[in-house]
Amino acid sequence: MKGWNGKILRIDLSANKVTVQEYDEKLALDFIGGRGFAIKILWDELEPGVDPLSPKNKLVVAAGPLTGLPLPSSGKLVVAAKSPLTGGYGDGNLGSMAANHLRRAGYDAIVIDGAAEKPVYLYVEDEKVEILSAEDLWGLGTFDTEKKLKEKHGKNIGILSIGQAGENLVRYAVIRSQEGRAGGRPGIGAVMGSKKLKAIVIKGTKEIPLADPEELRKLGREAYNDIKGRPNYDFWIRQGTMAVHVWCQENSVLPTYNFREGVFEYADKINGDVMEKLKVARYGCPNCNMQCGNMNPDTEGRQAEMDYENVGLLGSNIGLADLKQIATLIWMADNYGIDTISLGSVIGFTMEASEKGLIDEKVEWGDFEKAKELVEKIAFRKGIGDLLAEGVKRISEKIGEESKDWAMHIKGLEISAYDCHYAPGMALSFGTSPIGAHHKDAWVISWEIKVGRDAYTKDKVDKVIEFQRIRGGMFESLVTCRLPWIELGFELEWYAKFLKAATGVTLTLNDLYTVGDRIYALIRAFWIREYEGKWNRNMDTPPARWFKEPLTKGPFAGKKLDFDGFQKLLSWYYESRGWDERGIPHKETFEKLGLSYVATELEKYVKLS
Ligand code: PTT
Ligand code: SF4
């Protein structure tokens, strides 16, 4: 095999055992890498119904055939496991030197099973693999953890680590890397913590085997130049994902006061232009020439990364109108290793619960000091933090049925930063995202606003599926960053050429989309199996707030989602994917995708149509 290393590193922390698995070409061709490898491994190997925080869950760290090559924005990897937040499939994508080092160490993935008795970290240097004591690191934040590991192993390493939130099993703890990146929203950091695994350190020194190295380098040079010449390049470099903030306010999709509204009265104090003025540095993932990490000072003079999602959820969604204060909350989330999106949603939900008298704690909208206190309590599960560390769905179940309508999650994952009162296509995207309400698979909102927001038409379903194939299928399995394409219009055809030069295998974009469909069907099967067949379309339906409570402010006051219209979109979606009215793939769909063995297993839990 060329392009792929053909090896998966297997670690059993309970048995203190390391093995190397050589996998065959069929796995590579059917699932490509990244998310594809992750779901195949989790489906095949996890005991159904396993407790996500038990040693029997597996943590998968997976790169793809383009990861780490001299190609634009290729320093990314996927982290995945059964999610302790949702009980279904969970993953995240993060930019990290660990991605490049993993591939250069000669592996395409690491699978970690079992749990250590005492805190450990994994050290991988090509063939040398050691499970080392992390007793001196346990209890540290992610910034100090990285610092200490670099002091010990030198700067030329890749690190994935968790902070105190992962150690304390906060259900939305993330994995962090390179002092800037965070990934694994559905609690993949907590899975790492449950294994007493503080960090993974990788140093790779080998060449990645390539089918046509000269062609690949040539394509890489052309591609980097092409990206730099794109019309939107300069603005992107200045504002990155924060560029969308002004647009979200104008279009009334900025999450505000726990997704009650889509406009924030103080939005102009915390938008991309304000961020740009405060910006002190730019940061990015490896191999990227369009680096989008905007570093801003916080209230303590530290630097925090201001991505749109972070500012959307920890700003307007909790009524906070000061960018430095928002930066402080982001810095704390990064240090403790907590997902900023779920965190902002949990705090917003708590503020609303306090306003409505459903909890004793007094937490006012926009109260920065109280928000700081909550972040710390969540990370250490102190006092009310123990409940808040469980995520919005569980908190709502605990405090009472009347909070269910405004518990802003789908499948247990808190919603990322786009209000959907008046965006049915985006609501469908959130509803059908394979990890719960995340925008990564189908960010259709900008297209939807151009074509018309009132329509509940089939073209919206087609767009969601098209994006899911490209973003959730292709990019998550080749494992490179999707932003050159979606933000700068870098053509998708490049990726088929990259893949050919790297692996020698000719796969058209359509072939890659079929792989995406296979991954989607398998992820759906995983959810249904983990829910013991108790599955229905409510799992794909957004919270009642968007259907029942119209916007009261801004240009679209009075707008709300139409329930029947949404259900029509969902039915079309199922039909196009070859799934039945419950959202369960037909037997024939599994067979067409080469997943007959999945259908056979799934029939133990649910009758397939
Ligand atoms: C991603 C999610 C996002 S999506 C953001 S901001 W974004 C939040 N960032 C967090 C953070 O920071 N700190 C923290 N403690 N928690 C955070 N949670 C949130 O996590 C991310 C970039 C971004 S920035 C986006 S959109 C793109 N996402 C990609 C993707 O999913 N796949 C892909 N092939 N390419 C992508 N490119 C872009 O990468 P999750 P990262 Mg992240 C400080 O991980 O779980 O997927 O959640 O990965 O390396 O930080 O890069 O406006
Ligand atoms: Fe990372 Fe941003 Fe570059 Fe993508 S565009 S690789 S997220 S720095």
Side-chain angles (χ1 to χ4, degrees):
M1 261 195 280
K2 292 281 165 64
W4 290 277
N5 283 310
K7 287 190 183 135
I8 296 175
L9 183 62
R10 298 267 178 175
I11 312 292
D12 182 342
L13 289 174
S14 298
N16 207 26
K17 200 172 142 202
V18 176
T19 47
V20 176
Q21 173 201 354
E22 294 198 4
Y23 66 84
D24 61 32
E25 207 178 42
K26 184 162 167 47
L27 176 71
L29 296 180
D30 284 356
F31 290 95
I32 308 290
R35 174 183 266 181
F37 279 15
I39 184 56
K40 173 73 172 140
I41 289 166
L42 295 175
W43 171 267
D44 284 353
E45 300 179 18
L46 279 198
E47 193 180 289
V50 71
D51 173 355
L53 295 174
S54 76
K56 287 184 177 170
N57 197 1
K58 295 194 181 191
L59 170 68
V60 183
V61 176
L66 299 189
T67 306
L69 301 181
L71 299 173
S73 311
S74 67
K76 290 256 178 191
L77 54 74
V78 169
V79 290
K82 178 174 173 181
S83 160
L85 186 64
T86 67
Y89 172 77
D91 73 15
N93 186 307
L94 72 165
S96 172
M97 280 306 292
N100 293 14
H101 279 287
L102 173 68
R103 296 265 290 151
R104 292 176 70 89
Y107 311 102
D108 296 321
I110 305 179
V111 181
I112 297 158
D113 194 1
E117 273 176 20
K118 292 186 174 160
V120 294
Y121 71 97
L122 183 67
Y123 182 77
V124 180
E125 187 175 336
D126 299 338
E127 280 78 28
K128 182 172 129 189
V129 181
E130 294 173 322
I131 300 167
L132 301 172
S133 169
E135 301 228 45
D136 59 331
L137 301 173
W138 203 252
L140 294 183
T142 60
F143 292 107
D144 285 341
T145 302
E146 287 206 12
K147 197 167 150 235
K148 280 211 163 198
L149 286 168
K150 280 188 183 153
E151 278 164 14
K152 186 160 175 197
H153 296 289
K155 284 203 170 118
N156 183 24
I157 51 174
I159 303 172
L160 302 171
S161 74
I162 55 167
Q164 296 91 337
E167 295 175 10
N168 295 321
L169 311 183
V170 174
R171 286 187 192 269
Y172 43 97
V174 285
I175 297 177
R176 294 257 306 138
S177 191
Q178 314 301 136
E179 298 172 12
R181 294 307 184 187
R185 290 197 53 212
I188 311 304
V191 173
M192 207 160 145
S194 72
K195 297 187 175 303
K196 290 258 180 311
L197 181 63
K198 181 68 179 173
I200 299 173
V201 179
I202 316 175
K203 184 170 182 174
T205 63
K206 302 185 206 173
E207 288 293 316
I208 301 166
L210 295 174
D212 190 342
E214 224 163 275
E215 174 68 3
L216 189 109
R217 272 192 288 274
K218 180 175 146 281
L219 283 171
R221 277 194 303 272
E222 286 170 11
Y224 278 115
N225 283 335
D226 180 299
I227 284 172
K228 269 199 137 169
R230 296 269 158 177
N232 197 25
Y233 183 83
D234 289 338
F235 186 50
W236 174 258
I237 288 288
R238 277 169 33 211
Q239 295 207 356
T241 58
M242 278 295 286
V244 85
H245 196 281
V246 168
W247 178 88
C248 286
Q249 168 78 355
E250 279 169 8
N251 288 290
S252 198
V253 297
L254 185 68
T256 304
Y257 301 122
N258 193 28
F259 288 91
R260 263 184 200 159
E261 305 291 346
V263 288
F264 184 44
E265 57 271 41
Y266 307 112
D268 60 357
K269 291 184 192 297
I270 55 171
N271 64 22
D273 300 331
V274 182
M275 181 284 300
E276 211 186 318
K277 288 195 190 103
L278 291 173
K279 185 165 161 178
V280 285
R282 190 150 59 86
Y283 173 92
C285 313
N287 303 8
C288 181
N289 71 336
M290 49 178 280
Q291 297 192 325
C292 67
N294 301 303
M295 306 306 285
N296 271 29
D298 76 352
T299 53
E300 316 287 315
R302 301 169 300 208
Q303 289 180 16
E305 187 173 326
M306 313 302 281
D307 284 313
Y308 167 70
E309 303 294 326
N310 301 343
V311 176
L313 267 303
L314 288 167
S316 47
N317 199 52
I318 65 169
L320 196 56
D322 181 306
L323 218 45
K324 282 196 173 176
Q325 293 181 348
I326 296 170
T328 298
L329 300 182
I330 296 171
W331 190 92
M332 291 174 78
D334 281 349
N335 190 39
Y336 294 142
I338 308 176
D339 173 46
T340 49
I341 297 176
S342 290
L343 180 66
S345 194
V346 164
I347 296 176
F349 179 83
T350 308
M351 289 171 168
E352 183 156 358
S354 168
E355 183 184 65
K356 293 191 157 109
L358 293 178
I359 54 169
D360 294 336
E361 195 108 354
K362 202 78 214 120
V363 195
E364 308 255 349
W365 294 109
D367 184 342
F368 170 58
E369 291 303 325
K370 193 72 196 176
K372 267 198 316 187
E373 187 189 313
L374 289 183
V375 180
E376 196 186 324
K377 283 185 168 166
I378 290 168
F380 294 94
R381 283 185 170 271
K382 278 194 292 201
I384 192 177
D386 194 33
L387 174 62
L388 303 192
E390 295 288 288
V392 161
K393 178 169 179 272
R394 286 179 175 80
I395 310 169
S396 162
E397 283 163 2
K398 177 92 189 205
I399 68 172
E401 181 68 20
E402 60 264 57
S403 66
K404 198 173 164 204
D405 285 3
W406 38 274
M408 303 307 288
H409 70 87
I410 300 173
K411 298 186 187 70
L413 184 71
E414 289 76 13
I415 303 172
S416 37
Y418 305 93
D419 183 84
C420 291
H421 276 91
Y422 190 31
M426 192 62 211
L428 181 72
S429 157
F430 279 139
T432 57
S433 153
I435 61 165
H438 195 34
H439 60 290
K440 94 154 135 213
D441 282 59
W443 191 74
V444 296
I445 195 157
S446 126
W447 170 87
E448 177 168 40
I449 286 174
K450 279 187 218 133
V451 299
R453 303 170 71 166
D454 287 307
Y456 288 74
T457 43
K458 175 84 170 27
D459 57 334
K460 297 207 170 173
V461 174
D462 296 342
K463 187 54 91 178
V464 168
I465 294 180
E466 179 195 329
F467 271 25
Q468 288 177 338
R469 286 183 171 141
I470 296 169
R471 298 165 63 116
M474 191 180 102
F475 281 108
E476 294 313 306
S477 56
L478 293 175
V479 199
T480 69
C481 180
R482 62 167 189 260
L483 296 182
W485 162 69
I486 193 70
E487 297 296 344
L488 301 187
F490 182 68
E491 292 81 5
L492 292 173
E493 285 68 24
W494 282 97
Y495 293 92
K497 287 192 218 158
F498 294 159
L499 189 64
K500 168 88 179 147
T503 65
V505 176
T506 306
L507 289 176
T508 63
L509 290 176
N510 274 333
D511 295 332
L512 291 168
Y513 301 158
T514 303
V515 173
D517 289 347
R518 184 174 298 123
I519 292 171
Y520 256 63
L522 191 51
I523 292 180
R524 177 70 32 156
F526 183 87
W527 277 91
I528 297 165
R529 184 176 74 180
E530 294 311 308
Y531 276 70
E532 297 174 330
K534 294 182 203 96
W535 194 265
N536 61 48
R537 52 200 295 142
N538 291 341
M539 293 296 288
D540 295 331
T541 302
R545 161 155 283 167
W546 287 342
F547 296 107
K548 287 188 184 166
E549 299 174 20
L551 295 170
T552 67
K553 294 188 185 136
F556 304 114
K559 294 286 182 191
K560 64 181 168 66
L561 272 186
D562 177 60
F563 188 79
D564 294 339
F566 180 82
Q567 293 302 329
K568 189 171 71 175
L569 293 182
L570 200 52
S571 291
W572 274 325
Y573 177 90
Y574 292 156
E575 198 186 322
S576 298
R577 281 217 169 272
W579 299 0
D580 68 20
E581 275 293 302
R582 299 165 297 174
I584 300 176
H586 294 298
K587 200 171 181 175
E588 194 193 358
T589 304
F590 283 124
E591 282 162 0
K592 268 198 208 147
L593 293 167
L595 299 172
S596 300
Y597 60 98
V598 175
T600 308
E601 162 85 3
L602 205 57
E603 283 198 302
K604 292 184 198 157
Y605 302 88
V606 72
K607 193 161 169 31
L608 298 184
S609 49

